Amino acid sequence: MTLRIATFNTENLFHRPRVFALPDPEERRETLEDFAALVSLLDHATYTADDKDKIVELLQKYDVAASQSKSRPILVNETRGGAKLFRTKRGGGIEIVAKGRAHWVGWAELVRDDLDEEAVHNTGLVIAEVDADVLLTVEVEDRLTLHRFQEQVLSDLMGAKRYPFNMLIDGNDSRGIDIGLYSRLPITSLRSHIFDSAAGRPIFSRDCPEFEIELPGGKPLWILGNHFKSKIGDPAATTKKRKAQAERVRDIYKKALERSANVVVAGDLNDGPDSEPLGVLLETGLQDVMSHRTYTGAPGTHGTGTSLEQKFDYVMLAPALWDLVEDVKVERRGIFAPGTFKSFATVTSKADQASDHAAVYADLDL
């Protein structure tokens, strides 16, 4: 039996935070950093005068108080009839009326937009062309979205070659970019690590879910899904965060090996194979399938993929599985990269590309 295992950062299936569609990467980075700062400020037990000034500044910068704004990337969701965070003054401007976190009910969130119909179709096209038996999906809204995407998109593209099993558990990221799984083989258990912490803070930006798959003959296959901290923000701080995540995955991987020799670490790790965080994993004996002799394509998986610096996505195999690899490929036609490689005919711009990540997959002879 040949088993195809894949990972694909879908960049959401139907709905995606508006900020991610900003064409200017610097503007996108600034908005995400401001959102993180706002969330942190709103979590303060007591709002000092300086806190209130900073909150007002951020609310005004992103037009948050204008409920009819069609372009604001951030909103403050306040419960109807409950205590409020702010009020709009008659002469204009905003005043923070809550004294602290316990004095109002609500939260800040990123505004989501519906994805372009062609982008949705092209995401499905990538999944259909890869045709994996087990597909780790990165950046997915929720489990019901996985189900609906199969019923409403994949059913037309894949026909009977569908996924009877899908699973996702909400992680630590409020933006709806979670880690899920499509499988043609039974998913028999799931272990989450959203509560793993260090110094009182979650280790994982999203999660490191462990999916147990039942192979023919009853043998278990464990898929450890990941989406490490992005490089947005201070380079030293983000590298430190990814290293801490890699160290925890290393420990989870070693425990998984005690249950089965068939273990896979996969997902968007947001770093190159020569980086310090990735070194933590590769030193365990895990091997990246794109280093296998059968793979002869470009080194990257993000954007044009022409450099090792664009290598973010991984399928890493335990030694027992490495010896079973028959073939490795990268499906990058869902990316719009004119002049570098040929995209699908339906991918005509960045607006309708499936994702700016390629899908990575390996065939194993079981």
Side-chain angles (χ1 to χ4, degrees):
M1 171 190 174
T2 297
L3 180 75
R4 179 167 291 179
I5 300 174
T7 184
F8 179 36
N9 185 329
T10 66
E11 294 194 325
N12 294 93
L13 299 177
F14 290 119
H15 309 284
R16 187 159 176 80
R18 181 175 291 166
V19 59
F20 291 137
L22 293 173
D24 182 355
E26 181 59 28
E27 183 182 1
R28 187 164 62 245
R29 179 199 61 78
E30 181 180 343
T31 303
L32 289 170
E33 289 183 353
D34 283 345
F35 175 70
L38 176 62
V39 169
S40 178
L41 286 166
L42 294 180
D43 202 37
H44 287 184
T46 301
Y47 299 150
T48 65
D50 186 51
D51 288 341
K52 290 182 178 182
D53 288 343
K54 290 177 180 177
I55 292 170
V56 167
E57 180 184 346
L58 290 169
L59 296 183
Q60 291 178 328
K61 180 177 180 179
Y62 293 102
D63 208 19
V64 176
S67 60
Q68 303 303 314
S69 174
K70 294 183 179 180
S71 60
R72 59 176 179 170
I74 299 170
L75 66 83
V76 172
N77 198 330
E78 297 174 306
T79 58
R80 184 176 299 175
K84 301 297 183 181
L85 168 68
F86 67 90
R87 71 176 181 87
T88 302
K89 296 186 287 188
R90 284 186 179 181
I94 300 170
E95 178 185 4
I96 304 301
V97 294
K99 296 178 181 178
R101 179 63 272 188
H103 295 271
W104 69 287
V105 181
W107 58 90
E109 63 183 63
L110 292 172
V111 177
R112 300 186 196 184
D113 287 329
D114 293 339
L115 288 172
D116 181 272
E117 181 180 1
E118 278 301 315
V120 173
H121 168 83
N122 289 327
T123 299
L125 192 56
V126 171
I127 293 174
E129 288 293 318
V130 170
D131 194 20
D133 298 295
V134 178
L135 171 65
L136 185 82
T137 59
V138 179
E139 296 198 16
V140 172
E141 295 92 309
D142 50 50
R143 197 199 70 80
L144 285 177
T145 296
L146 278 174
H147 174 74
R148 291 177 183 132
F149 192 79
Q150 172 170 257
E151 295 299 308
Q152 299 172 20
V153 180
L154 296 181
S155 59
D156 291 336
L157 294 168
M158 302 182 75
K161 299 173 70 176
R162 300 167 71 187
Y163 295 105
F165 307 99
N166 64 73
M167 184 52 66
L168 180 150
I169 186 167
D170 285 339
N172 292 318
D173 198 312
S174 64
R175 297 173 295 176
I177 52 174
D178 293 311
I179 302 165
L181 194 79
Y182 277 131
S183 179
R184 293 185 178 132
L185 300 173
I187 302 171
T188 54
S189 71
L190 169 63
R191 300 183 178 203
S192 174
H193 291 276
I194 58 174
F195 300 113
D196 291 6
S197 63
R201 300 182 65 84
I203 292 174
F204 292 109
S205 309
R206 267 61 68 167
D207 191 5
C208 174
E210 300 181 72
F211 301 98
E212 183 182 16
I213 311 296
E214 183 180 320
L215 297 175
K219 294 181 180 180
L221 168 70
W222 286 91
I223 308 289
L224 278 55
N226 282 275
H227 185 188
F228 283 1
K229 176 71 178 73
S230 75
K231 293 185 177 181
I232 294 175
D234 176 65
T238 60
T239 298
K240 182 180 179 181
K241 181 70 171 178
R242 284 192 299 279
K243 184 180 179 184
Q245 292 170 342
E247 288 170 344
R248 182 62 185 130
V249 173
R250 174 195 61 198
D251 296 340
I252 296 169
Y253 165 69
K254 288 181 178 179
K255 285 289 185 181
L257 282 177
E258 295 176 6
R259 304 189 297 269
S260 171
N262 303 318
V263 183
V264 178
V265 174
D268 177 358
L269 304 186
N270 269 316
D271 225 332
D274 56 350
S275 67
E276 187 178 8
L278 270 292
V280 171
L281 295 177
L282 295 172
E283 287 169 1
T284 65
L286 281 165
Q287 296 194 64
D288 169 26
V289 296
M290 286 177 66
S291 68
H292 195 267
R293 56 179 174 76
T294 58
Y295 180 70
T296 58
T301 62
H302 183 262
T304 61
T306 54
S307 71
L308 205 57
E309 292 181 349
Q310 295 172 300
K311 164 74 169 159
F312 291 166
D313 306 274
Y314 295 81
V315 175
M316 294 182 173
L317 304 180
L321 294 175
W322 183 258
D323 296 334
L324 306 179
V325 175
E326 293 182 314
D327 195 21
V328 176
K329 285 189 170 59
V330 173
E331 176 55 81
R332 57 181 85 247
R333 289 177 293 172
I335 301 172
F336 181 69
T340 306
F341 54 81
K342 187 176 182 180
S343 305
F344 290 127
T346 50
V347 175
T348 60
S349 69
K350 288 190 177 296
D352 62 23
Q353 68 179 358
S355 169
D356 59 12
H357 290 257
V360 180
Y361 62 97
D363 291 337
L364 280 63
D365 181 10
L366 299 179

